Amino acid sequence: MALNQNIVVIVGGVGGAKLALGLQMILPPEQLTVIVNTGDDFWHYGLRICPDIDTVLYTLSGRVDPVNGWGLAEDSRTVLQALTAYGEDTWFGLGDKDLATHLLRTQMLRDGHSLTEVIAHLAKVQAIQSAILPMTDEEVPTIVETAEYGELAFQEYFVKYRWQPTVTKLRYQNMEQASLNPTIISALHNADMILFGPSNPWLSIEPILSVPGLRDAILARDVPRVAVTPIVGGQAIKGPAAKLMAELGYDEVSAQSVAEHYGAIINGFVYDTSDAAFHIAGLHTARMDTIMKNNTDKARLAQQMLAWIKEWN
Ligand code: FO1
């Protein structure tokens, strides 16, 4: 087992956080770095909310709501109910304890700390020992162009409209001005392998790869660069990945199409045992049980991936 290897895993929200937890369960904490999408971050009632980051923090600290996969377990909604009583359309489900995270983050940002510093603090106070890195410190909101409503902010598309509008285009606002954090550069430089979680390749991974310099920093590393499919049997494990692929013009909604989309950024791809085998020239592929229902599944998938990567590395 590759226990003396530095591993960077690149993730969005729920699915990626599960793989990160599996890796955390089998690795010494200093060997794991998680780079997280911030394209779905937004301002809401004056608070800075970072859903994917918080999903990773809550998952790795064992505090995540096991039903939703986001938010905190056993949280209440008193504040949200009070806002509803004021006549507000409370479409974004903020829990009371979850609000403490947003309050502290917003205050620290206002005090002049970078998002990277704030997340390091939030990880530390939740006893997470691995490095959790936002993809950039700048605000780079994902904008979803839809057939029905025109441009929507990401959380409007995802939560308010439950990802039902037809997506015509995605763009990552302000991205050309985003800077690559030195901690990310050094994590990638020191990585013995780079993994991509079973996150949405367009909504979660693409924003990360769009941070200027980040894609090239990954491509520069001659190490295993392995993605896990978010598509099993033509369906998304969770969320809009399959629907989005069809809307973006993919003829076939399949794991193979995802592997082809990743192209040269990966040299290895893991897809599900329930899918038929396929071959892409120059790409190492493996079929594994990719569905992570419980912690045993998460550790097993992480372990299997590392063992398989070691075989061809
Ligand atoms: N997802 C929902 O589907 N509905 C919600 O009301 C909701 C609230 C929410 C609050 C805090 C948080 O950290 C995440 C939350 N999410 C909610 C999940 C999140 O918006 C999405 O899963 C991600 O942005 C997509 O990766």
Side-chain angles (χ1 to χ4, degrees), residues 13 40 51-52 54-55 70-71 91-94 98 154-155 158-159:
D40 63 348
D52 283 356
D54 289 346
T55 297
W70 47 263
W91 54 271
F92 195 73
L94 290 170
D98 186 35
F154 180 84
Q155 294 298 340
F158 198 92
V159 174

Side-chain angles (χ1 to χ4, degrees), residues 12-14 37 40-42 49-52 54-55 58 70-71 77 90-95 98 102 105 154-155 158-160 162-163 204 238:
V14 180
N37 173 40
D40 63 348
D41 295 6
F42 71 128
I49 304 192
C50 304
D52 283 356
D54 289 346
T55 297
Y58 295 161
W70 47 263
R77 294 260 170 108
T90 49
W91 54 271
F92 195 73
L94 290 170
D98 186 35
H102 312 312
R105 175 169 38 234
F154 180 84
Q155 294 298 340
F158 198 92
V159 174
K160 188 173 183 181
R162 298 170 192 276
W163 43 269
S204 300
K238 192 178 195 303

Side-chain angles (χ1 to χ4, degrees), residues 249-266:
Y250 285 81
D251 292 334
E252 197 187 277
V253 176
S254 66
Q256 181 169 354
S257 299
V258 172
E260 285 164 357
H261 158 78
Y262 274 119
I265 199 84
I266 58 169

Side-chain angles (χ1 to χ4, degrees), residues 18 21-22 25 292-302:
K18 286 183 180 179
L21 178 58
M25 289 167 76
M292 294 176 276
K293 290 205 185 92
N294 53 43
N295 285 356
T296 310
D297 292 340
K298 291 164 200 157
R300 183 219 2 100
L301 179 60

